Amino acid sequence: MGSYQGVIFDLDGVICFTDKYHYAAWKTVADKLGIEFNETINNRLRGVSRMDSLEIILEKYDGELTAQEKEALAEEKNELYKKLLERMSPADLSPEVKATLDALRAAGLQLAIGSSSKNTKFILQRLELGGYFDAISDGTNITRSKPDPQVFLMAAEFLGLQPEKCLVVEDAQAGIAAAVAGGFDSAGLGEAAQCGQATYAMKTFAELTGICGAIPAKA
Ligand code: BG6
Ligand code: MG
């Protein structure tokens, strides 16, 4: 525990807040199918891949869909989601998050993204963080979604670090489970802080400086 050389950040719900856009896009698709979709179901989609999210939504669907029809629905959702993401700008990056990232980097830590999202690079561009991270492991380079540790193991490999030298930062229970399965320490925010499995339960993002031994950030 401690003396980390790298920090691997989940993206959605940690670096930025895309929940409302995922919700709006899935809601349009669910309404079209005439199935119930609400915030409680949306919360179950955190950290879960796009296709696995669709399967959760279809639990409320009576009919049968072919694999092709499912692909088309996921594609439709993603087009709606990407349109909404265009509204994002650097103003959506909180000063606390940016200052903390800068402080960790100044302390010599390597920083990576470990996200299930295939839109990771687009979101980072919108926030003007394209090129900021030392490594990006995302939905485009994995075959298994969280709680499988693959996305974090690949992020550590891209950084050239062993899992025990990296701290994973997550907001989803599935993400903390993935960190544990991969042999990583983890820092949880929100629901992930309450699940009891995280090495550190955080109330604020800025607490990372204390955990990593960096000089506290001035937000
Ligand atoms: C995760 C989100 O980061 O990415 C999930 O928490 C989402 O809600 C998943 O389903 C996949 O995202 P995308 O952008 O590839 O559809
Ligand atoms: Mg998340």
Side-chain angles (χ1 to χ4, degrees), residues 53-178:
S53 296
L54 178 62
E55 291 299 339
I56 291 173
I57 290 164
L58 291 176
E59 285 171 11
K60 300 267 179 194
Y61 187 63
D62 279 340
E64 283 292 316
L65 294 172
T66 64
Q68 244 178 351
E69 285 168 328
K70 288 181 185 176
E71 284 288 347
L73 288 171
E75 181 60 28
E76 186 183 339
K77 181 266 174 178
N78 196 48
E79 288 307 312
L80 293 164
Y81 178 59
K82 281 197 302 191
K83 269 261 156 293
L84 295 169
L85 288 179
E86 280 170 17
R87 295 182 192 174
M88 283 182 94
S89 77
D92 290 298
L93 181 65
S94 92
E96 180 197 7
V97 168
K98 184 63 171 60
T100 303
L101 292 174
D102 288 344
L104 295 174
R105 179 188 249 186
L109 286 132
Q110 292 199 72
L111 309 183
I113 292 287
S115 166
S116 309
S117 174
K118 292 183 173 166
N119 292 300
T120 294
K121 293 189 178 84
F122 182 56
I123 293 170
L124 291 175
Q125 267 169 25
R126 298 297 315 160
L127 298 172
E128 288 183 6
L129 284 179
Y132 184 91
F133 292 91
D134 300 296
I136 293 174
S137 173
D138 65 16
T140 64
N141 62 261
I142 55 170
T143 50
R144 299 181 300 279
S145 185
K146 300 170 190 176
D148 189 285
Q150 190 184 27
V151 75
F152 297 138
L153 290 172
M154 290 188 78
E157 195 183 314
F158 294 159
L159 291 177
L161 295 173
Q162 293 300 312
E164 54 273 21
K165 288 288 165 202
C166 300
L167 178 72
V168 165
V169 186
E170 261 291 348
D171 71 313
Q173 203 167 341
I176 298 291

Side-chain angles (χ1 to χ4, degrees), residues 10-14 16 19 46-47 115 146 169-172:
D10 173 48
L11 180 67
D12 295 299
V14 170
C16 61
D19 252 27
R46 275 197 205 118
S115 166
K146 300 170 190 176
V169 186
E170 261 291 348
D171 71 313

